[in-house]
Amino acid sequence: GDSVTQMEGPVTLSEEAFLTINCTYTATGYPSLFWYVQYPGEGLQLLLKATKADDKGSNKGFEATYRKETTSFHLEKGSVQVSDSAVYFCALSDEWGKLQFGAGTQVVVTP
Amino acid sequence: DAGVIQSPRHEVTEMGQEVTLRCKPISGHNSLFWYRQTMMRGLELLIYFNNNVPIDDSGMPEDRFSAKMPNASFSTLKIQPSEPRDSAVYFCASSRTSGRETQYFGPGTRLLVL
């Protein structure tokens, strides 16, 4: 079945550092790919998405490119802020809309 | 616009009691999803509805769990009887249509079964 694997956390960074969170997937069809972010005590919020190969999703300085050849959707941000501290989830959606999530990566940004 | 609304936000109950979680999706959204989040198992899809009809309930853990969507603006997830291992955060999400649409999540209900 479909699955998502993302790097384990926590990832601890200093403010203004470069962030990368690796995400790879296994899917039988042509999924859409998502990054969701969860702040403490809150629900998940969509950060960005890509619906087909080579699409780049971007939002709030975060970017991820749908790489079909490497089945990856790595999240990057060039300069993180303390307010980016959260848990980040990579997910794929099949044709029916069922989301399969990775385990989540906690990111801690220190001043 | 109001987002997905869930109630209660927190629930503490004793083993064996019935628990009912409620969700109001975003107006105009036709698909609704129930997820459970635990440290051990992460985020799991329990059931989803399209146009108020349950489409896939293969993620429902066992017969103690049931979900209904009597109309387009309301859904419930019921656990009867509850057990300590049901302690988790339960999220409801909705999307405009079925398929690869963005899902919008509610704030969740944190359930503790003693």
Side-chain angles (χ1 to χ4, degrees), chain A residues 29-32 34 36 38 41-46 49 51 89 93-103, chain B residues 9 31 33 35 37 42-45 48 55-56 58 89 91 98-108 110:
Chain A
Y30 300 94
S32 291
F34 302 81
Y36 279 85
Q38 184 177 31
E42 297 184 12
L44 280 73
Q45 303 174 23
L46 177 69
K49 72 176 187 180
T51 58
F89 292 91
S93 173
D94 66 11
E95 58 186 313
W96 306 108
K98 293 172 63 174
L99 279 175
Q100 181 72 44
F101 286 93
Chain B
R9 291 294 308 274
S31 294
F33 306 79
Y35 293 89
Q37 184 178 36
L43 275 156
E44 305 172 277
L45 175 65
Y48 76 95
I55 303 300
D56 186 344
S58 59
V89 181
F91 290 104
S98 60
R100 301 186 181 94
E101 292 283 332
T102 298
Q103 292 182 24
Y104 296 86
F105 281 74
R110 187 173 296 273

Side-chain angles (χ1 to χ4, degrees), chain A residues 100-103, chain B residues 36-44 59 61 85:
Chain A
Q100 181 72 44
F101 286 93
Chain B
R36 178 171 66 175
Q37 184 178 36
T38 62
M39 290 294 292
M40 292 297 295
R41 300 174 67 89
L43 275 156
E44 305 172 277
R85 59 190 167 130

Side-chain angles (χ1 to χ4, degrees), chain B residues 11 13-16 19 82-87 111-114:
Chain B
E11 178 80 28
T13 190
E14 294 187 346
M15 183 174 64
V19 174
S82 59
E83 296 184 2
R85 59 190 167 130
D86 302 330
S87 298
L111 173 65
L112 178 61
V113 182
L114 303 174

